[in-house]
Amino acid sequence: GLQDQLEANEEEGQRLLEEARKRQEDLQSNMDSTAEALSRCRQELLDASEAGSEAARRAGSEEETCLRLQTSLANSEAAAENVRRELEENEEHLRKAEEDLKEIGLRLQSSLEEQSQTS
């Protein structure tokens, strides 16, 4: 009867909390991946800048220097674009998780209201 309903509601609440915890861990993992990608991008930009400086020092002709710098720039832009895409994906994951957490909160609230009405 009432005791069974209370226990079922409590189990559902625990399950929902566990689900929310798992989603939070997934999001943290996504954010960590993005931070690593940004770090790699920063390093690639630094490497490209150093390569550009080195190319400028070594190059006998302005044309060769220009070509090397263009290649470095293209590589840096590609790396930045990859990071931008990852950020967009993570923003989408965050939006989804936020919606899921709101839904879980509403279901928990509804469950608690049912409990208080039946007691």
Side-chain angles (χ1 to χ4, degrees):
L2 182 58
Q3 188 61 35
D4 291 342
Q5 181 62 40
L6 284 174
E7 286 175 14
N9 285 346
E10 191 176 330
E11 285 173 17
E12 174 70 1
Q14 287 300 321
R15 192 185 65 71
L16 292 172
L17 280 173
E18 193 51 48
E19 206 175 288
R21 228 175 269 125
K22 176 75 175 94
R23 286 228 166 83
Q24 197 173 9
E25 287 171 10
D26 292 347
L27 281 174
Q28 187 60 51
S29 173
N30 281 337
M31 287 163 51
D32 291 346
S33 296
T34 302
E36 288 172 23
L38 279 170
S39 178
R40 283 194 306 272
C41 182
R42 249 183 242 114
Q43 189 57 52
E44 287 176 28
L45 286 168
L46 283 173
D47 293 347
S49 176
E50 287 174 22
S53 297
E54 186 63 24
R57 277 193 295 277
R58 287 192 195 155
S61 71
E62 289 181 18
E63 187 177 309
E64 186 179 347
T65 301
C66 183
L67 287 173
R68 289 186 191 186
L69 288 172
Q70 284 174 337
T71 302
S72 292
L73 179 61
N75 290 340
S76 299
E77 286 171 348
E81 178 63 19
N82 288 339
V83 170
R84 186 190 63 75
R85 271 199 301 274
E86 274 195 59
L87 284 172
E88 282 177 359
E89 288 172 19
N90 282 344
E91 283 172 4
E92 189 55 42
H93 289 302
L94 281 171
R95 274 196 294 278
K96 173 84 174 86
E98 207 172 22
E99 288 170 20
D100 292 343
L101 287 174
K102 283 181 190 168
E103 177 66 25
I104 287 168
L106 290 173
R107 294 198 331 234
L108 277 174
Q109 188 177 359
S110 167
S111 179
L112 288 172
E113 286 170 5
E114 285 176 28
Q115 282 182 22
S116 67
Q117 287 173 4
T118 54
S119 57

